[in-house]
Amino acid sequence: MHVVVLGAGSLGSLVGGLLARAHEVTLVGREPHVSRVREGGLELTGAYDERVRPDARTDPPASADLAVVTTKAFDTDAAAEALAPVALDACLSLQNGMGNETTLAADLDCPVLAGTCTYGARLTEPGVVACTGVGEVVLGARGGGASEAADRVGTAFDAAGLHTTVAEDMPLRLWEKLAVNAGINATTALARVENGALLDGPAGGVARDAARETARVARADGLDLDDETAVAAVERVAEATAANRSSMLQDVEAGRRTEVDAISGFVAGYGVETPVNATTARLVRAWEAARDLR
Ligand SMILES: NC(=O)C1=CN([C@@H]2O[C@H](COP(=O)(O)OP(=O)(O)OC[C@H]3O[C@@H](n4cnc5c(N)ncnc54)[C@H](OP(=O)(O)O)[C@@H]3O)[C@@H](O)[C@H]2O)C=CC1
Ligand SMILES: CC(C)(CO)C(=O)C(=O)O
C-alpha cells in the first residue's frame, strides 16, 4: 500500500515511520524535518529503536492508496485543500477533536474513515521521533457500520505492527474520546496541572462536569453515551496518564495555538446548554487571543 501522511509532525512521523516497515510511505511535512528524513531516514526512538526510510516532501504526491491526516485540528481545512487534487482510495483522520472527518469529506472524493489513536509521539529533533507510549489505533467508517475501506486499512496497519482495531461504532468512540479530551485537556491547561491531579484534586470536578456535558451533547446527537461512562473514561485515562502533561497544557506552555475549538468549543457550540465547556473554551480562547494565536 502507498500511504501519504499529511502533517508529519509528532504523531504523523511515528505512525508513518511504523507503516514504513511494511508499506511505501510518503511523509508530507515541514522543513527541515523532511530534508533530514530524505537524506538520512527517520529514526524511531523511545519505545522503538530503529531507522526507516520513508519518502518525505512538503507537498503531497499525485496519488496514493491511503492518506492519513495528522495535522492539528485547526489545520484540517488546509489538509483537505492539499489532498483534494490527490487521487486516493481512502483517507483516515487520526486527529483529536470533533469535525475533522466532516471537513475532509467535504473536499475529498474518497471514503473518509474516522480514527482514534492512543500512541504517544514527540518529534524531538528533525529526523527523529520518540514513541512516548505504545497504544492502539481504532478506525472505522465515520458514520458507523462495516466498511471495506476500513478493513483494508486495518489489515495494512496490522501488517506494519501497529496495534489496530477496526470498529463499527466509531461515532460513539469519537464522542467518548471527545469527553476525555474535553474533561482533561482544557482543565489541565487552565489549572497548569498533570492529568493525575484531576483524580482527587480541586480541578477534578471541572473535568468530570465537562465530560458529563459532553455525554449530554452526544445524546442530543443520537448516541448512547451516559454520564457515568464518560466520567469513568476521564478517570481511567487520567489514572493511566497521571504523570502526563496534556497536549493542550503543552501547547499553552510552549505558547502555541491549542485545539480548543475542536474540543471544548465543539461541545459548547452544539446548541445544548454546557456552561463548563463554554467557560473553559472562552478562557483558553482568551489566552490565545491575547497572544495573537487566533
Ligand atoms: N502527539 C501525540 O502523541 C498525539 C497526537 N494526537 C493528535 O494528532 C494530531 C497531530 O498532533 P501532533 O503530531 O502532536 O502535532 P504536530 O504539530 O507535532 O504535527 C502536525 C504537523 O503538521 C504540519 N502541517 C500542518 N499543515 C500542514 C500542511 N498543509 N502540509 C504539511 N504539513 C502540515 C505542522 O506544521 P506547522 O506546525 O509548521 O504548521 C506540524 O509539523 C492532533 O490532532 C493531536 O491532538 C493524537 C494522539 C497522540
Ligand atoms: C488522552 C490525553 C488527555 C492524554 O494526555 C490526550 O489525548 C491529550 O493530551 O491530548
Side-chain angles (χ1 to χ4, degrees):
M1 187 176 268
H2 179 197
V3 183
V4 56
V5 178
L6 200 292
S10 297
L11 184 66
S13 296
L14 177 66
V15 170
L18 293 173
L19 288 172
R21 304 195 287 196
H23 303 285
E24 179 188 353
V25 171
T26 304
L27 300 181
V28 179
R30 307 293 197 198
E31 293 291 5
H33 181 53
V34 298
S35 292
R36 205 62 63 81
V37 171
R38 251 199 334 267
E39 287 154 15
L42 174 70
E43 200 180 331
L44 307 180
T45 63
Y48 301 97
D49 178 15
E50 57 189 279
R51 185 176 292 273
V52 287
R53 296 201 167 268
D55 189 12
R57 44 196 283 171
T58 53
D59 291 305
S63 66
D65 299 308
L66 170 70
V68 178
V69 178
T70 53
T71 64
K72 291 287 182 87
F74 49 78
D75 280 328
T76 307
D77 271 322
E81 209 173 294
L83 287 173
V86 182
L88 292 168
D89 289 340
C91 176
L92 165 68
S93 163
L94 291 180
Q95 303 157 280
N96 274 334
M98 205 67 129
N100 296 302
E101 297 82 7
T102 309
T103 302
L104 291 165
D107 274 359
L108 302 187
D109 197 17
C110 67
V112 175
L113 304 171
T116 62
C117 177
T118 54
Y119 279 83
R122 196 158 57 84
L123 198 62
T124 50
E125 60 182 283
V128 183
V129 65
C131 176
T132 54
V134 175
E136 187 191 20
V137 172
V138 181
L139 62 91
R142 67 193 176 99
S147 152
E148 276 179 27
D151 291 341
R152 273 199 310 277
V153 173
T155 302
F157 273 47
D158 265 341
L162 278 137
H163 302 296
T164 309
T165 300
V166 177
E168 296 193 4
D169 60 349
M170 283 314 294
L172 183 60
R173 287 174 186 259
L174 289 178
W175 276 106
E176 190 173 316
K177 180 92 194 280
L178 187 67
V180 168
N181 289 131
I184 295 179
N185 291 31
T187 312
T188 53
L190 290 165
R192 305 285 201 277
V193 293
E194 286 82 15
N195 296 352
L198 302 180
L199 289 169
D200 44 24
V206 178
R208 289 178 180 86
D209 284 346
R212 282 187 196 98
E213 286 182 0
T214 310
R216 194 178 313 143
V217 179
R219 291 195 294 276
D221 196 40
L223 276 306
D224 186 19
L225 181 61
D226 59 56
D227 289 10
E228 294 70 34
T229 304
V231 169
V234 167
E235 289 170 347
R236 196 175 55 246
V237 173
E239 190 163 13
T241 61
N244 275 23
R245 302 175 90 69
S246 76
S247 58
M248 199 173 288
L249 174 56
Q250 291 181 43
D251 287 339
V252 166
E253 286 176 334
R256 292 187 300 249
R257 185 173 177 187
T258 75
E259 297 187 294
V260 70
D261 290 346
I263 299 176
S264 320
F266 184 90
V267 177
Y270 215 81
V272 173
E273 208 188 336
T274 53
V276 172
N277 282 281
T279 303
T280 56
R282 258 191 240 142
L283 291 172
V284 176
R285 285 168 172 159
W287 175 86
E288 290 179 344
R291 279 154 191 80
D292 280 336
L293 296 170
R294 46 183 313 118

